[in-house]
Amino acid sequence: MLEFLSQHALPAALVALGGLALVFGAVLGFAAVRFKVEGDPIVEQLDALLPQTQCGQCGYPGCRPYAQAIANGDAINKCPPGGQTTINAIAGLLDVEAPELDAEHGEEQAVQKVALIREAECIGCTKCIQACPVDAILGAAKQMHTVIADECTGCDLCVEPCPVDCIDMVARETTLKDWQWELPSPNGNLIATDRVQGAAA
Amino acid sequence: MSEQHSTQSTPKIWPLHGGIHPPENKAQSLTLPLGEIPLPEYLVLPLQQHIGTAAEAVVKVGERVLAGQMIAAAKGLVSAPVHASTSGVVVAIEKRPIAHPSGLEDDCIVIETDARDEWIELVPCQDYTALTHEQLLEKIRNAGIAGMGGAGFPTAVKLNPRANQIIDTLIINGTECEPYITADDILMQTHAEDIIAGVQLLAHMLGQPRHLLIGIEDNKPEAIAAMEKAAAGTGICIRVFPTKYPSGGEKQLIQILTGKEVPHGGLPADIGIVCQNIGSTFAAWKAVRFGAPLTSRVTTVVGKALQTQRNITALLGTPIEHILRQHGFNPERCSRLVMGGPMMGFALPTTAAPVVKTTNCILAPTEAELPAPTPAQACIRCGMCAQACPANLLPQQLYWYSQAQDYDKLQAHDLFDCIECGACAYICPSNIPLVQYYRASKGQIRQQEADRQKADRSRQRFEFRKQRIDKAEAEKEAKRLARKRAAEKAREQQSTAETKPDPVAQAMARVKARHNSPEHSPQHQREKLERAVASAEDRLRNAREKEKEKGTVTNENHLSPIRFTIT
Amino acid sequence: MTDFLVILLSTILVNNFVLVQFLGLCPFMGVSNKLETAIGMGGATTFVLTLASICSYLVHTWILVPLQLEFLRTISFILVIAVVVQFAKMFIEKTSPLLYRVLGVFLPLITTNCAVLGVALQNTTKAHTFFESSVYGFGAALGFSLVLILFSAMRERLAVADVPAPFKGAAIGMITAGLMSLAFMGFSGLV
């Protein structure tokens, strides 16, 4: 058999390569079973990057459903409260390009906002309490409603349902506790560079 | 006593890594003796003059307070109370400008001083060894003593290490490495005995540590002489070491005097060391021995924009403008008014800010003394900053990552171990304001962490709300199901049991019977209606006759209600 | 023994596969953006290269040579390499999903890494023995990993540095690689 094969190249080649392919195929088949991977905890990791405002501007009822949608292939640029930083972080996690924020879903806010109820006009209807996705409004039927400022994410969902329109979105004030130094602006750069402040590696 | 405290014949001093030698500028403020200034009209006492939770006011507006009276109580463990520095009336408890680089305001108690300076009754203590550890801590805590070297950490907390932390070295920080500042220097010259007594008190409270060291830089010869004289025979060692900035930092001083390094993210107590500022030691002694709370401190008032440059004992809460007036301040000549020294101080946004427990210096330099910073140029990667850093960090790498806002890399390079001493910025040939980058990045990282925690909380609340709503829905569904099943069961029972007379059919039968009764015949009904009309006509006639008798009211008014009911 | 040391020195420094022989440049430029990715890629390539060079040697010696099928070298080596890479991919996906995600498409692209095929073919041209082949493959991988890690550390610093606008990104990377290559020329003549 070996002499026959060594004389005739074509059958030898076919047998050799075919034999190799069979052997390797068996090895890979065994490896595929042995090293099988279940599930994919990517949804958790995506959810951890989203800002948790639960505002619904992305079109999904909360941040976790949107994370699920991204894992199933939806676009990653639909979150205005997260802004470009979140888009970049998600792009880094999924190892894809980081697109611009999709303006169809809203603009990125420069200043953080908090809801404020004008208590003189509140009628105690509980519509805003039912609308708040993080239960940040304290109150009960026919009792005064008030926003717990520390828990409010600025999602805006309470403003619509209010029948007397007594909810304002005000800018969050800087107190002594959360005042920060600012990054010095680069000046005197002798080399022309278009590096944007804050572009990370 | 001397057996317990070891005294080495040739004390070893470890060299400081890096460090710089800025011009000392300490002579100007030492020519005059320690002075006093007249009482200001108002005292503004911020409720937060220390690290930790702000104190809570315990007096009301309009109340008269005496000097040394507690006007704000400590809140929680890491906190310190505030006392009135002199007697007067509380005129306001409101937000006032404070000495903070942001220029923001904070809650302060404002006292209008009367010139009487009446004190509360102080409780002195002749022999503190008779008191328990808790009692001594209580005295120090109630005296409102915080770290007076500039940090402001409540002293009572530092003197109460955990049970598993055996303190083997007490270091008193008399270094005062920053240029211009001489407050601790003059305190050592004038009150050396009290300070030594304070050291012995602290040693007693910490269970008699083996080593008692006082670190002083070699540019303070008079202070060293005074302290050595006072410490003779007590077992307390005065360690003198070469002047270098920033040897006075807590971690740096510990390394110089003991060669040990405080672990990353840890406290000196973790390696058995407690470090106290010399001013805090003095205040602690006064608190225990004389019962006097912290109401004043030595502050260096220096700078060529002032006519007089010296150290003063300033009452806490004195507005800085009052001090500046007393020293002939010329605002036109002053380039920037700085609280603290030229390295680690900050520019005061307003002179209305008051002196607080951590105000060690007020610097009013001219333009020539402290010129405006030259514009920054590109980094030339010379590496001088890494040579100068006392904490062994890599300032150049921190600079690059701070510009790129790469927080992971910043933390990997131990950004939070930076003590913000400014040695790297001082030595940078390109004049890059390095410390500002690090401060900004630290703030951004803290903000990011706070945002992440808030996001986690929001997520929890959202999920809990979802659970709550789902549970409510499920209960409603369950109830509806139960009702439906009960109704079905009842219907089943009904169909199998004897046919009970249908109540609806019975009711209809009754109605039909009523209709067919003789009482309901059309004849009968018409007679009934005729009778009703007759009686109504009678009533109308009677009413009209009555009305004619009265004669005052018009027909319209009487008839209108009837008209309404008919329509 | 010295023989193996000489082979190692030769493959890691003197005839470094990336900087001197200019093989395997695709993952060299593509994966060197972050240090962790580079270390992961270095590890994966070491695994693949060593295993592939051993298997190639075995296939060559025991199947191709007896059947006088040396002309099938290239295709059978490619077959071997593809199988080893697929095996490595499954192994990495199971043991370290993070590394798997980080490497992304560059993991299957090790198949087309000319350094791997280059090692296998050079083993046959230089008529190495079994042990020489395996050490050669291992050394080549070490050299590749070394250069990859050095280069990625430099690229991380370049990313945050003040690079002039026309040079940002791949351009400054290429220049840096060229300078590194110049530096490695200094080893020539060592062995």
Side-chain angles (χ1 to χ4, degrees):
Chain A
M1 163 83 156
L2 222 55
E3 286 85 40
F4 170 71
L5 285 176
S6 51
Q7 298 297 327
H8 300 87
L10 182 54
L14 287 174
V15 167
L17 286 180
L20 273 178
L22 274 176
V23 170
F24 287 144
V27 168
L28 284 181
F30 161 74
V33 171
R34 172 76 178 77
F35 295 122
K36 201 165 158 57
V37 176
E38 272 84 331
D40 195 17
I42 188 102
V43 178
E44 298 279 336
Q45 292 171 323
L46 283 167
D47 195 32
L49 292 174
L50 293 173
Q52 302 305 316
T53 30
Q54 322 289 355
C55 61
Q57 286 182 288
C58 54
Y60 296 92
C63 297
R64 203 182 175 86
Y66 183 45
Q68 187 77 50
I70 293 179
N72 292 338
D74 201 353
I76 65 173
N77 60 348
K78 292 187 179 176
C79 178
Q84 195 62 39
T85 359
T86 308
I87 294 177
N88 292 342
I90 297 177
L93 181 68
L94 299 177
D95 208 23
V96 294
E97 282 283 311
E100 286 268 311
L101 180 60
D102 190 357
E104 182 189 321
H105 291 271
E107 298 287 316
E108 183 174 357
Q109 297 283 344
V111 183
Q112 272 262 314
K113 296 220 163 170
V114 189
L116 185 65
I117 292 179
R118 292 196 295 276
E119 297 192 350
E121 300 163 31
C122 174
I123 59 172
C125 68
T126 75
K127 288 220 167 61
C128 61
I129 296 181
Q130 292 165 36
C132 178
V134 291
D135 281 344
I137 303 187
L138 202 59
K142 302 228 184 81
Q143 310 280 338
M144 181 56 66
H145 298 343
T146 188
V147 175
I148 308 174
D150 281 340
E151 302 295 343
C152 173
T153 60
C155 74
D156 231 36
L157 287 174
C158 56
V159 181
E160 289 283 314
C162 178
V164 295
D165 197 19
C166 71
I167 305 188
D168 290 323
M169 298 303 293
V170 297
R172 215 178 254 280
E173 271 180 20
T174 331
T175 60
L176 211 58
K177 294 243 183 309
D178 46 41
W179 179 85
Q180 290 168 28
W181 293 93
E182 273 179 22
L183 211 57
S185 53
N187 59 348
N189 278 335
L190 300 174
I191 306 171
T193 167
D194 59 6
R195 193 252 313 280
V196 173
Q197 183 83 305
Chain B
M1 269 286 217
S2 47
E3 305 90 67
Q4 282 182 293
H5 309 297
S6 62
T7 33
Q8 296 168 335
S9 50
T10 48
K12 182 160 192 274
I13 302 291
W14 284 258
L16 175 70
H17 178 268
I20 50 173
H21 296 280
E24 286 172 21
N25 278 308
K26 294 200 188 233
Q28 306 90 297
S29 47
L30 288 174
T31 46
L32 292 170
L34 182 61
E36 303 222 348
I37 52 170
L39 212 54
E41 277 175 27
Y42 290 95
L43 286 178
V44 180
L45 289 153
L47 294 179
Q48 174 127 37
Q49 302 181 29
H50 51 269
I51 292 177
T53 325
E56 268 186 331
V58 294
V59 293
K60 284 192 275 294
V61 177
E63 206 176 310
R64 178 155 193 276
V65 293
L66 302 173
Q69 179 177 340
M70 191 187 287
I71 55 175
K75 189 166 171 206
L77 187 61
V78 185
S79 185
V82 179
H83 300 80
S85 314
T86 190
S87 56
V89 177
V90 177
V91 291
I93 302 178
E94 63 189 9
K95 289 212 186 297
R96 283 289 179 101
I98 56 162
H100 193 266
S102 64
L104 291 172
E105 300 185 339
D106 201 14
D107 296 316
C108 299
I109 299 180
V110 185
I111 299 178
E112 185 177 357
T113 58
D114 56 23
R116 282 143 58 180
D117 199 28
E118 272 178 56
W119 275 78
I120 55 164
E121 190 159 329
L122 298 176
V123 181
C125 167
Q126 298 289 351
D127 179 19
Y128 60 78
T129 52
L131 299 177
T132 65
H133 179 71
E134 280 72 30
Q135 284 171 322
L136 288 170
L137 270 180
E138 196 61 33
K139 274 186 182 281
I140 291 182
R141 185 177 151 93
N142 286 338
I145 300 175
M148 293 165 70
F153 193 76
T155 306
V157 181
K158 231 192 213 182
L159 291 174
N160 193 18
R162 282 197 285 272
N164 61 343
Q165 290 165 334
I166 315 285
I167 302 304
D168 125 292
T169 308
L170 172 64
I171 295 178
I172 305 296
N173 192 343
T175 317
E176 205 164 49
C177 51
E178 193 154 0
Y180 285 98
I181 309 182
T182 50
D184 286 349
D185 187 351
I186 212 157
L187 188 69
M188 285 192 278
Q189 286 179 35
T190 50
H191 292 94
E193 277 97 22
D194 287 331
I195 293 172
I196 296 296
V199 178
Q200 290 173 322
L201 164 70
L202 294 185
H204 170 81
M205 288 180 72
L206 290 169
Q208 299 298 352
R210 227 161 13 117
H211 305 285
L212 301 175
L213 310 171
I214 303 185
I216 310 179
E217 272 185 341
D218 64 7
N219 58 359
K220 303 174 179 57
E222 297 103 352
I224 295 168
M227 291 296 284
E228 275 179 343
K229 182 152 163 261
T234 58
I236 299 172
C237 310
I238 312 292
R239 292 280 165 89
V240 182
F241 51 89
T243 303
K244 210 183 204 187
Y245 178 83
S247 320
E250 186 180 61
K251 298 190 172 120
Q252 281 62 42
L253 186 63
I254 290 174
Q255 200 183 348
I256 290 173
L257 294 182
T258 65
K260 294 186 196 161
E261 269 187 48
V262 178
H264 168 79
L267 296 168
D270 294 337
I271 50 172
I273 300 176
V274 167
C275 188
Q276 280 292 346
N277 173 261
I278 209 136
S280 314
T281 312
F282 177 60
W285 170 245
K286 284 212 301 200
V288 169
R289 173 68 183 85
F290 304 107
L294 184 58
T295 52
S296 66
R297 66 155 297 144
V298 179
T299 303
T300 309
V301 186
V302 69
K304 292 220 176 79
L306 300 165
Q307 275 181 346
T308 326
Q309 298 180 66
R310 58 172 178 169
N311 284 288
I312 55 165
T313 312
L315 290 181
L316 296 181
T318 309
I320 290 181
E321 58 196 351
H322 176 81
I323 298 180
L324 292 174
R325 251 197 315 255
Q326 302 297 322
H327 291 82
F329 177 56
N330 186 351
E332 269 123 62
R333 293 190 66 207
C334 180
S335 64
R336 273 171 289 175
L337 190 60
V338 176
M339 172 172 290
M343 303 295 295
M344 290 187 74
F346 58 90
L348 275 172
T350 160
T351 51
V355 166
V356 293
K357 295 175 184 172
T358 51
T359 307
N360 49 7
C361 177
I362 298 169
L363 174 60
T366 54
E367 187 65 38
E369 233 183 334
L370 198 67
T374 40
Q377 293 174 296
C379 171
I380 60 172
R381 298 184 186 271
C382 62
M384 298 284 288
C385 49
Q387 288 185 23
C389 180
N392 262 321
L393 300 173
L394 294 174
Q396 195 197 111
Q397 289 306 108
L398 290 175
Y399 166 68
W400 290 120
Y401 293 128
S402 172
Q403 275 202 314
Q405 294 182 355
D406 190 344
Y407 304 137
D408 292 329
K409 276 274 173 326
L410 279 171
Q411 287 185 304
H413 281 84
D414 300 322
L415 174 66
F416 281 93
D417 280 340
C418 167
I419 61 172
E420 296 177 19
C421 66
C424 51
Y426 181 84
I427 210 162
C428 178
S430 301
N431 299 109
I432 301 174
L434 292 168
V435 181
Q436 291 182 34
Y437 281 97
Y438 307 148
R439 280 184 181 148
S441 295
K442 283 186 190 175
Q444 283 166 350
I445 293 177
R446 284 194 201 110
Q447 182 66 40
Q448 204 190 44
E449 188 53 40
D451 285 344
R452 196 175 303 148
Q453 286 186 356
K454 172 145 183 226
D456 283 342
R457 264 206 327 266
S458 297
R459 189 183 311 126
Q460 276 180 7
R461 291 176 83 93
F462 178 68
E463 280 169 10
F464 180 74
R465 177 174 178 267
K466 210 141 104 46
Q467 275 180 20
R468 176 170 56 91
I469 291 177
D470 288 341
K471 198 163 115 174
E473 290 281 323
E475 278 176 8
K476 242 193 290 178
E477 191 63 33
K479 256 193 228 143
R480 195 167 351 130
L481 228 61
R483 242 179 311 163
K484 196 162 134 201
R485 233 172 269 135
E488 276 176 14
K489 213 159 105 177
R491 223 172 295 142
E492 268 176 28
Q493 279 186 347
Q494 197 184 33
S495 61
T496 53
E498 218 176 326
T499 43
K500 271 201 289 230
D502 185 9
V504 177
Q506 279 185 330
M508 289 194 63
R510 277 202 299 272
V511 171
K512 219 167 177 184
R514 219 192 351 247
H515 273 283
N516 293 337
S517 70
E519 290 158 3
H520 272 86
S521 62
Q523 177 78 357
H524 188 84
Q525 278 186 337
R526 200 178 40 216
E527 285 169 11
K528 212 163 134 192
L529 282 169
E530 278 169 0
R531 281 201 294 274
V533 168
S535 72
E537 280 174 356
D538 280 336
R539 277 203 303 272
L540 185 58
R541 214 179 308 120
N542 288 342
R544 283 222 173 97
E545 278 167 12
K546 271 208 200 101
E547 170 194 34
K548 265 201 206 98
E549 283 170 22
K550 297 282 161 99
T552 49
V553 192
T554 60
N555 282 351
E556 312 302 315
N557 285 347
H558 271 255
L559 284 176
S560 47
I562 301 174
R563 201 179 300 140
F564 274 127
T565 47
I566 289 175
T567 52
Chain C
M1 186 55 190
T2 36
D3 213 23
F4 295 136
L5 281 178
V6 166
I7 293 180
L8 277 178
L9 206 57
S10 160
T11 49
I12 295 175
L13 293 176
V14 182
N15 293 315
N16 186 282
F17 271 75
V18 180
L19 293 180
V20 180
Q21 301 191 45
F22 301 115
L23 298 174
L25 292 176
C26 171
F28 179 67
M29 294 301 294
V31 184
S32 51
N33 280 312
K34 286 182 80 66
L35 190 58
E36 292 82 23
T37 324
I39 294 174
M41 180 55 136
T45 309
T46 308
F47 178 71
V48 167
L49 245 180
T50 318
L51 207 54
S53 63
I54 292 174
C55 291
S56 310
Y57 175 83
L58 292 173
V59 165
H60 186 256
T61 317
W62 295 102
I63 298 178
L64 295 182
V65 167
L67 298 178
Q68 292 176 7
L69 294 172
E70 284 91 338
F71 61 92
L72 285 183
R73 249 195 333 236
T74 312
I75 193 169
S76 49
F77 287 173
I78 294 277
L79 182 62
V80 168
I81 292 166
V83 169
V84 174
V85 169
Q86 187 64 12
F87 186 81
K89 168 181 170 284
M90 281 191 266
F91 182 71
I92 288 177
E93 187 175 7
K94 179 78 173 177
T95 52
S96 171
L98 181 64
L99 181 62
Y100 179 73
R101 186 174 302 118
V102 162
L103 287 176
V105 73
F106 285 100
L107 188 51
L109 277 180
I110 299 178
T111 317
T112 56
N113 188 346
C114 35
V116 187
L117 184 62
V119 165
L121 289 173
Q122 281 182 18
N123 275 333
T124 59
T125 51
K126 294 187 182 172
H128 281 153
T129 65
F130 176 74
F131 289 110
E132 282 174 353
S133 297
S134 34
V135 174
Y136 195 76
F138 184 64
L142 281 187
F144 178 82
S145 307
L146 171 72
V147 175
L148 189 59
I149 290 170
L150 289 174
F151 190 55
S152 65
M154 277 193 264
R155 278 193 95 178
E156 273 194 344
R157 292 206 176 186
L158 282 173
V160 295
D162 262 337
V163 179
F167 287 92
K168 281 166 74 71
I172 195 72
M174 296 281 195
I175 294 175
T176 313
L179 290 170
M180 280 176 80
S181 181
L182 272 177
F184 269 68
M185 271 175 71
F187 290 117
S188 67
L190 194 59
V191 281

